[in-house]
Amino acid sequence: MADVILAIDAGTTGVTVLGFDAQAQVIHKGYREFTQHYPQPGWVEHDAEEIWTVTEALARAALDVLGDRVAGIGITNQRETTVVWDAETRRPYHNAIVWQCRRTAARCQELKAHAPGIRAKTGLVLDAYFSGTKLEWILRNVPEAKAGAAAGRARFGTIDTWLVDRLTGGAAHVTDPTNASRTLLFDIHAKRWDPELLALLGVPESVLPQVLPSAGVFGHATALGREIPISGIAGDQQAALFGQGCVEPGSAKNTYGTGCFALLNAGPERVESKHKLLTTIGCDRAGAPVYCLEGSVFIGGAVIQWLRDGLQLLSDAAESATLAAPDNGGVYLVPAFVGLGAPYWDQDARGLITGITRGTTRGHLIRAALESIAYQSRDLIDALVADLGRPLTELRVDGGASTNDLLMQFQADMLGIPVARPKNVETTAQGAAFLAGLGCGLWKDFSEVEQVLAIDRTYTPALPADARE
């Protein structure tokens, strides 16, 4: 009986593959990291072939366990990361340029006169974060890619598109609106690739994928030894919003991953942010497009990875909860390692630590790093609330760092509202599974899966308002 959805969550530092049964319970999980490449300061790359190799191995291992029970595949992905490959050889022309990469910051400065027009069409600020200038850079700086585009052989995609290409043996070149809306090339009013933006960045339309609804069949995976419909795709943050059940206007979530990403379901009508947030596309109850407001923190959980790998203050990220001091000892950390995202959009900012004294300890630095995640997230929530015009009643949270009780309690204290963590914090993959299940008919409508959305713990604010401020 085909009653399982295989969800592929291709994140920034690794790939997770989960099996969800018809009750949306996780019955299989595999995870593997892949290599981060830093060719220059501020530049970040991934080997797209390695991402595929890792994904294929995890998916095959899952199928060995789940067998013929798999009814469909859902994909969620790091959104703005850019891959360009040859449609004939199916090989990338260059490493994938990761969403964190700042190599096109100067190009964005050159284009700043076009920023208002770009925002009006795409809902995005003009920033190196997004795919458009990354794609332009590859087409300008990689001769093979330039020649491939001229010959009509080059294919562009975010990681979802790349994985679908590989899963379908090159038969499908597709994406969904949530990923397309992160490229600087997609008009979120008309819901189509925009000819003027393509011309501005020198992108031929032939390189672009077809945009299909987030819930529905994108193609059939034949590369795993059997034919399985790929029936749901969404960018990671929109998938997490859907997976948290935030399908009603006014509901919001914050994901604590490599970065932090706060999204608010704004409903069917576009809302223009007056507080430097993005307007982007999410999913309604059926997986059709709706508008969202979003704020992005570039360095969230990655600051804990930096404590572990860069400063070697931790041997494991989970130690941060136990090794943090009871207070920060006056130490504050701003992890602007690759600039600051919303609501500042300062691509030239860099990190700093202030308040260090002779009495500063490892514990104070760890505490300051954890607090920096909550302070940056409060900036996002304050901006969302200002645009919404009314306070949130709660914030739903997910992502790896949401399992840190110290951080979540501090976040509730800083926001002054309850912070609710679900039993399944893999809500990004869960959202992809929900979309895929709707897309292949495993579930008839969202109400069938909504009932399984259980809360693990709610953190109630305990800090007086004056102390909070």
Side-chain angles (χ1 to χ4, degrees), residues 231-247:
S231 51
I233 292 177
D236 51 9
Q237 302 315 317
Q238 291 97 326
L241 190 72
F242 197 71
Q244 283 272 33
C246 296
V247 294

Side-chain angles (χ1 to χ4, degrees), residues 93 124 160 187 238 353 362:
Y93 295 112
L124 308 176
D160 60 307
D187 185 328
Q238 291 97 326
I353 303 172
R362 174 177 71 161

Side-chain angles (χ1 to χ4, degrees), residues 18-67:
L18 298 104
F20 289 85
D21 66 15
Q23 288 71 49
Q25 301 300 305
V26 176
I27 59 173
H28 174 83
K29 179 178 179 179
Y31 173 76
R32 189 180 301 176
E33 290 190 354
F34 51 78
T35 310
Q36 309 293 307
H37 300 273
Y38 306 101
Q40 294 184 30
W43 290 29
V44 191
E45 295 180 356
H46 291 155
D47 180 347
E49 289 284 1
E50 184 186 6
I51 293 176
W52 162 242
T53 299
V54 167
T55 302
E56 181 186 26
L58 291 169
R60 285 184 177 274
L63 290 175
D64 287 344
V65 175
L66 302 171

Side-chain angles (χ1 to χ4, degrees), residues 140 151 210 316 342 346 367 422:
R140 282 187 172 190
Q210 181 184 6
D316 184 271
D346 185 348
R367 175 83 187 204

Side-chain angles (χ1 to χ4, degrees), residues 3 21 50 54 121 156 238 247 274 285 340 364 373 383:
D3 61 348
D21 66 15
E50 184 186 6
V54 167
K121 288 184 176 182
F156 153 73
Q238 291 97 326
V247 294
K274 296 179 173 60
R285 299 178 73 88
L340 286 172
H364 292 132
I373 301 172

Side-chain angles (χ1 to χ4, degrees), residues 345-363:
W345 297 109
D346 185 348
Q347 60 189 10
D348 297 317
R350 288 297 177 264
L352 63 85
I353 303 172
T354 185
I356 297 173
T357 68
R358 181 64 181 83
T360 297
T361 66
R362 174 177 71 161

